[in-house]
């Protein structure tokens, strides 16, 4: 017999902190009204119950000196997808737990099904808790590829899933989605905080014990974070999150956490009728796709991770028609936009306080690189003056509070990428050093905003 009993505890839905009673504010993360009531099992199981459980990885081993641990590179599995292999750091590490999150309909299930269909030698167990096996078959027929090595298992009980996985011993296991899975050891509904924690812990033990990599599909909340407790992101080895508008064609997969590679990487995909197509050169989709001579458009040479690419910045400045001026930014931090507008008014004398300013980053990309500041300023001034920036001109520089233009990292790579795409002129900070400038590329060095205006708009009548 077991000595397991049930007790009621309160979990924070934001960080997963456990409390014996309800509190209005979580003492761990400080969020308000996030405590949810759940029942958990406590006590020590009997010997028979322990035999059905899963042992913690490495249990029974003696401590090993750090100098004697093998530090050779991890064994990686290629997914035959250049973008996925690069964002994972060279491929999928054996025994790793990967979490892919995103909004509904953005392509999580499509990507996870494309992986086994395009890896003919990879024996995959695809566990679906949201769709029937027939639905997965219909989607696989649309995506194409070799489905001989893909096994579909429609199940939500973790005990059955792990038993089948140990019996089949696949090369890869995909779980879609973690919010639909549950275990009978927890007396709560699937998707609850305790169920997600226990499910993720069981899958982690399974991956580490067997060396089989596991890919988890996770939903996100309306705030944009992965649903479930924050501890879910701490358990897994890699967190990848989809960005972009599900109604648009392009998707961006960003690395949020990676224990086996860089976290400053992103992969770009295009949603087509046959699934997600990798975009090897994202600059082609982000640079201008309209006629020349339009005002309010500037191109920024930005860097995300180790990949340089160019993105179009669009701005619209108009007189405020309803009294209070509006400030709106899509894909850019609106607080930073307000700061740049304040710098333009205080340091350069442009009166924008009574005008509406709208800013948009092309392609649905969310930009955090400070090198985009210079392109934002140029686009705003271009729209304000109704004077077009030359189509062969781009920008790379950070704007400070005193109006100075500060240098950004890896300027040489930005310049080379702009030159490769046919740009003839680039504005950078005069305080930085650049080497190996391509022949035919005009690098204009400007120290502050007034100098940028004199150089950029000197042809204005």
């Amino acid at each position: 017999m077991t000595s397991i009993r049930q007790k009621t505890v309160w979990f924070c839905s934001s960080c997963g902190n456990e409390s014996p009673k309800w509190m209005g504010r979580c003492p761990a993360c400080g969020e308000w009204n996030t405590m949810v009531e759940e029942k958990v099992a406590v006590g020590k199981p009997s010997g028979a119950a322990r035999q059905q459980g899963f042992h913690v990885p490495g249990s029974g081993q003696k401590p090993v000196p750090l100098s004697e641990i093998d530090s050779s590179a991890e064994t990686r599995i290629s997914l035959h997808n250049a973008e996925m292999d690069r964002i994972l750091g060279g491929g999928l590490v054996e025994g790793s737990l990967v979490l892919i999150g995103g909004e509904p309909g953005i392509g999580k299930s499509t990507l996870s099904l494309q992986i086994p269909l395009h890896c003919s030698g990879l024996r995959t167990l695809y566990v679906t808790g949201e769709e029937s096996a027939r639905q997965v078959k219909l989607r696989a027929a649309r995506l194409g590829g070799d489905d001989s090595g893909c096994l579909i298992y429609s199940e939500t009980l973790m005990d059955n899933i792990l038993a089948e996985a140990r019996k089949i011993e696949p090369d890869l296991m995909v779980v879609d989605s973690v919010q639909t899975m549950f275990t009978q050891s927890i007396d709560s509904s699937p998707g609850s905080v305790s169920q997600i924690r226990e499910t993720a812990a069981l899958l982690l033990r399974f991956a580490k014990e067997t060396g089989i990599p596991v890919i988890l599909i996770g939903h996100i909340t309306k705030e944009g974070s992965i649903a479930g407790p924050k501890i879910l992101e701490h358990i897994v080895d890699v967190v990848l999150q989809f960005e972009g508008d599900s109604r648009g064609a392009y998707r961006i997969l960003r690395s949020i956490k990676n224990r086996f590679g860089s976290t400053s990487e992103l992969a770009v995909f295009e949603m087509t009728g046959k699934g997600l197509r990798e975009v090897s050169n994202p600059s082609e989709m982000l640079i201008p796709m309209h006629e020349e001579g339009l005002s309010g458009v500037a191109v920024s040479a930005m860097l995300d991770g180790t990949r340089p690419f160019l993105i179009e910045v669009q701005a619209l400045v108009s007189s405020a028609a309803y009294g209070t001026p509006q400030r709106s930014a899509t894909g850019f931090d609106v607080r930073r936009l307000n700061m740049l507008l304040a710098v333009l008014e205080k340091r350069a004398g442009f009166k924008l306080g009574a005008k509406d300013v709208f800013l948009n980053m092309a392609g649905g990309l969310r930009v955090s690189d400070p090198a985009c500041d210079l392109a934002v300023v140029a686009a705003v001034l271009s729209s304000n003056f109704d004077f077009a920036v030359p189509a062969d001109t781009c920008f790379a520089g950070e704007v400070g509070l005193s109006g100075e233009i500060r240098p950004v990292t890896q300027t040489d790579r930005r310049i080379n990428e702009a030159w490769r795409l046919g740009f003839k002129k680039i504005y950078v900070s005069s305080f930085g050093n650049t080497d190996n400038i391509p022949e035919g590329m005009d690098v204009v060095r400007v120290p502050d905003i007034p100098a940028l205006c004199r150089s950029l708009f000197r042809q204005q009548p």
Side-chain angles (χ1 to χ4, degrees):
M1 296 179 62
T2 64
S3 58
I4 297 178
R5 65 183 186 277
Q6 298 285 337
K7 77 170 184 177
T8 300
V9 296
W10 295 83
F11 287 105
C12 174
S13 59
S14 178
C15 67
N17 182 61
E18 180 180 339
S19 175
K21 62 179 182 179
W22 181 87
M23 289 182 288
R25 185 180 184 183
C26 175
C29 64
E31 296 291 333
W32 289 90
N33 299 323
T34 57
M35 306 299 289
V36 292
E37 180 182 9
E38 291 185 11
K39 292 182 179 180
V40 298
V42 296
K44 185 177 180 181
S46 64
R50 285 195 298 269
Q51 291 177 0
Q52 298 176 357
F54 297 94
H55 301 288
V56 178
S59 60
Q61 296 183 358
K62 296 180 180 180
V64 181
L66 186 62
S67 59
E68 298 180 7
I69 298 177
D70 183 16
S71 60
S72 58
E74 304 92 353
T75 304
R76 294 181 181 266
I77 303 173
S78 175
L79 300 179
H80 300 283
N81 186 311
E83 292 291 290
M84 282 296 297
D85 286 345
R86 184 179 54 80
I87 197 174
L88 289 171
L92 195 61
V93 177
E94 292 186 355
S96 62
L97 191 60
V98 180
L99 176 63
I100 301 178
E103 297 177 353
I106 203 167
K108 305 184 298 297
S109 300
T110 300
L111 179 63
S112 61
L113 187 58
Q114 276 186 234
I115 291 174
L117 292 178
H118 291 85
C119 297
S120 57
L122 196 67
R123 183 176 172 85
T124 304
L125 176 62
Y126 190 96
V127 182
T128 171
E130 298 182 344
E131 299 175 300
S132 65
R134 185 175 180 274
Q135 288 176 303
V136 177
K137 171 63 177 177
L138 293 174
R139 181 149 44 89
R142 176 175 59 85
L143 298 176
D146 184 9
D147 59 358
S148 59
C150 185
L151 304 175
I152 306 300
Y153 187 36
S154 181
E155 181 59 80
T156 56
L157 181 60
M158 284 304 304
D159 302 323
N160 296 339
I161 294 171
L162 296 179
E164 287 293 329
R166 292 180 183 275
K167 189 185 305 179
I168 296 172
E169 295 184 352
D171 299 322
L172 171 67
M173 186 166 75
V174 179
V175 179
D176 184 12
S177 65
V178 66
Q179 279 84 11
T180 62
M181 302 298 155
F182 73 99
T183 174
Q184 292 179 334
S185 61
I186 302 295
D187 186 16
S188 60
S189 60
S192 63
V193 174
S194 56
Q195 283 286 4
I196 293 177
R197 286 170 47 162
E198 186 65 19
T199 298
L202 289 174
L203 290 170
L204 177 68
R205 294 171 190 168
F206 168 79
K208 301 306 180 185
E209 288 176 356
T210 62
I212 299 173
V214 179
I215 296 178
L216 298 178
I217 306 300
H219 302 302
I220 66 172
T221 63
K222 61 182 180 180
E223 290 83 13
S225 59
I226 296 177
K230 201 69 176 176
I231 194 174
L232 177 62
E233 298 182 30
H234 297 310
I235 290 176
V236 301
D237 298 311
V238 181
V239 179
L240 307 178
Q241 186 160 335
F242 268 109
E243 296 179 359
D245 189 355
S246 60
R247 293 166 292 182
Y250 295 103
R251 308 286 192 271
I252 296 163
L253 188 63
R254 188 181 298 275
S255 176
I256 306 298
K257 171 188 176 182
N258 192 348
R259 288 174 177 162
F260 311 109
S262 174
T263 57
S264 57
E265 293 288 350
L266 61 82
V268 183
F269 298 93
E270 180 185 6
M271 179 62 78
T272 65
K274 295 185 178 181
L276 290 168
R277 180 186 69 86
E278 52 185 311
V279 179
S280 57
N281 186 11
S283 297
E284 295 178 353
M285 75 171 189
L286 300 173
I287 58 178
M289 300 180 182
H290 49 69
E291 297 180 358
E292 297 183 9
L294 293 179
S295 63
V297 175
V299 177
S300 173
M302 63 172 292
L303 195 74
D304 204 311
T306 60
R307 167 180 288 187
F309 55 89
L310 276 70
I311 180 174
E312 181 186 76
V313 180
Q314 303 170 344
L316 177 62
V317 180
S318 62
S319 300
Y322 302 103
T324 304
Q326 301 182 60
R327 301 285 187 266
S328 175
T330 303
F332 192 79
D333 188 359
V334 68
R335 293 171 297 183
R336 191 161 187 87
L337 172 62
N338 290 330
M339 184 270 289
L340 295 175
L341 297 178
V343 170
L344 285 175
E345 184 160 350
K346 179 70 175 181
R347 305 299 181 185
F350 296 106
K351 303 301 181 182
L352 302 174
K355 295 186 177 182
D356 295 334
V357 179
F358 303 94
L359 190 70
N360 178 55
M361 297 292 165
L365 189 67
R366 186 178 301 129
V367 174
S368 59
D369 189 358
C372 292
D373 289 354
L374 203 57
V376 170
V377 169
V380 169
L381 294 179
S382 171
S383 178
N384 185 52
F385 294 145
D386 198 18
F387 183 75
V389 175
D392 60 351
T393 302
C394 60
F395 305 84
E398 179 183 359
V399 177
L401 289 177
S402 61
E404 81 280 9
I405 299 176
R406 307 173 65 87
V408 292
T409 60
Q410 304 187 45
T411 306
D412 295 339
R413 298 190 61 189
R414 303 171 195 263
I415 294 175
N416 288 322
E417 177 71 9
W419 175 79
R420 189 179 67 82
L421 292 173
F423 286 82
K424 303 299 182 182
K425 180 184 292 187
I426 183 171
Y427 284 83
V428 299
S429 172
S430 61
F431 302 105
N433 297 323
T434 53
D435 301 321
N436 302 322
I437 298 175
E439 184 178 356
M441 189 68 175
D442 183 15
V443 179
V444 182
R445 307 175 191 275
V446 285
D448 49 27
I449 296 297
L452 171 70
C453 298
R454 289 192 297 269
S455 175
L456 187 61
F457 302 111
R458 62 175 178 268
Q459 299 177 357
Q460 183 183 15

